[in-house]
Amino acid sequence: MTMQFRSSASAALAAAVLLAVAAVQPLSAQSIADRYRADANRIIDAALKDSTAWNRLAEMTEKFGNRLSGTPALEQTIDWVIAKMKEDGLQNVRGERVMVPVWVRGAESAQLVSPRAQNLPMLGLGGSIATPPGGITADVFVVSSFSELTSKAAQAAGKIVLFDAPFTSYGETVQYRARGAVAAAQAGAVAALVRSVTPFSMRTPHTGGMFYDSTVRRIPAAAITVEDAQMLHRLQDRGERVRVKLMMTAHTLPDAPSRNVMGEIVGAEKPGEVVVFGGHIDSWDVGRGAMDDGGGVVVAWEAVKLLQRLGLKPRRTIRVVGWTNEENGGRGGQGYRDAHKADIDKHVMAIESDGGVFKPQGFSFTGSDAAFDVLKQIGTLLDRIEAGAIVKGGGGSDIAPIMALGVPGLGLNVDGTKYFWYHHTEADTIEKLDAHEMALCVATMAVMAYIVADMPDPLPRAPVTR
Ligand SMILES: [Zn+2]
């Protein structure tokens, strides 16, 4: 009892001495972590008592459904975000016009016709052309890789080439979805099929963007499921004649207007300096775009609302943005850069969340070493929720255009174990997300954005060569 009293008394004395020292210490000598520890704790505590992020994402994605560029659903969602941001009391709420490509999937199907009849669940790839009206019925030639196709190109002529490439990483395996049609056409194929880009499948096809090349004939391209791709491969290996009928009516219409949607907390001292953060408001035309990327927009939006609710008004402006057309054009990110060219140097940082809003781990960063050191300090304030890991080499496709002009960029890192299970499928819906994990994302985004927007000195920049 006595010992305890004595030690707590001396601890209190030591704390008083420390406080006195801190009080006389110049602000510049105080670390960023010490300066913002109390604010960060308040933000985290408040975020974790709040499940409005999950509820708002559920409402948005279920009210409007998926949001492909050029659809009324996307523009209605943007109108709704603008109305809600105004209700929330955000400032400078607006949509900035951007012209976007319009790709229409239309009716489509794939059937195995030999060695037996079976429907093959499929999704045409975004940007693909249609088949002729009667469809394409042809033998299938299955390969595991581009190099296998190159070495056996003679066998691909006149056939439907199927790339049955096992998932390694998204960045690597997505090449078959993106460039498969060009490679197959170079070998004389009449259509390209790809195994869906995912590490795990419940016989669900995954769509996504693909590209043509002006040097080679355009052929239709679609994804089939992992299970069916592997089965067709095994049928071929057993010497069976594998024949498929592919029917697609996909087409591209003239560009249409869309908008980057945004709202702000205007900075108290340096309103012209901006921390911009968010995700993309468009999605593919399947599922409901909950994790790709409605969640990215909503966690940044809720982060701003949380700061507002706590009365934390930063020195600089925090702008939350839902970029449009990330999925099949990237016009939102480019349009943002073009609309803000004059004040790019006043963008102190850009943060993108486009990897799902699962349990956050931290951020990956591209910028100067001096800035990296500051962000690592901020990361220590997120360690209590295990979201403080700051690593090098981050960004995202929507902020890439302004990062190319020298704006330091951060990407939110989350537990990515399950993201690609649902990515670009009918299964991208809200139930796969957890309200607590989303609240952790809100806390992580809010702490980072607030501190960088409020620090006395702007985040140091790397010298840029333009
Ligand atoms: Zn995305």
Side-chain angles (χ1 to χ4, degrees), residues 279-280 282-284 291-294 326-327 352-356 397-398 419 423-424:
H280 63 88
D282 67 307
S283 75
W284 278 105
M291 61 200 84
D292 189 12
D293 182 27
E326 188 274 343
E327 294 292 5
E352 181 165 336
S353 164
D354 188 17
S397 51
D398 288 309
Y419 181 66
H423 184 249
H424 299 181

Side-chain angles (χ1 to χ4, degrees), residues 33 40 82-83 139 166 225 227 253 275 282 303 317 351 354 381 418 459:
I82 289 173
D139 287 0
T225 66
E227 290 90 334
L253 298 174
V275 170
D282 67 307
T317 294
I351 314 175
D354 188 17
L381 303 177
K418 294 180 180 171
L459 197 66

Side-chain angles (χ1 to χ4, degrees), residues 395-432:
S397 51
D398 288 309
I399 60 175
I402 59 173
M403 286 175 63
L405 298 180
V407 179
L410 275 181
L412 178 69
N413 289 335
V414 301
D415 173 6
T417 315
K418 294 180 180 171
Y419 181 66
F420 290 107
W421 296 10
Y422 311 115
H423 184 249
H424 299 181
T425 73
E426 290 290 358
D428 181 352
T429 54
I430 188 75
E431 314 74 31
K432 284 84 181 183

Side-chain angles (χ1 to χ4, degrees), residues 53-126:
W54 194 97
N55 290 330
R56 179 154 274 186
L57 182 60
E59 184 182 354
M60 183 178 94
T61 55
E62 291 174 347
K63 191 174 176 75
F64 302 104
N66 53 55
R67 309 174 296 281
L68 185 62
S69 290
T71 61
L74 173 60
E75 298 313 307
Q76 287 160 8
T77 305
I78 291 170
D79 288 338
W80 180 86
V81 171
I82 289 173
K84 291 282 174 189
M85 280 185 172
K86 286 181 177 166
E87 272 175 37
D88 292 339
L90 268 60
Q91 294 164 276
N92 298 326
V93 175
R94 63 198 187 273
E96 291 180 350
R97 186 181 151 111
V98 180
M99 294 301 286
V100 295
V102 183
W103 179 76
V104 180
R105 173 179 305 282
E108 57 183 16
S109 64
Q111 265 113 31
L112 182 65
V113 294
S114 170
R116 61 188 172 79
Q118 187 194 301
N119 185 54
L120 303 173
M122 58 80 81
L123 284 171
L125 298 182

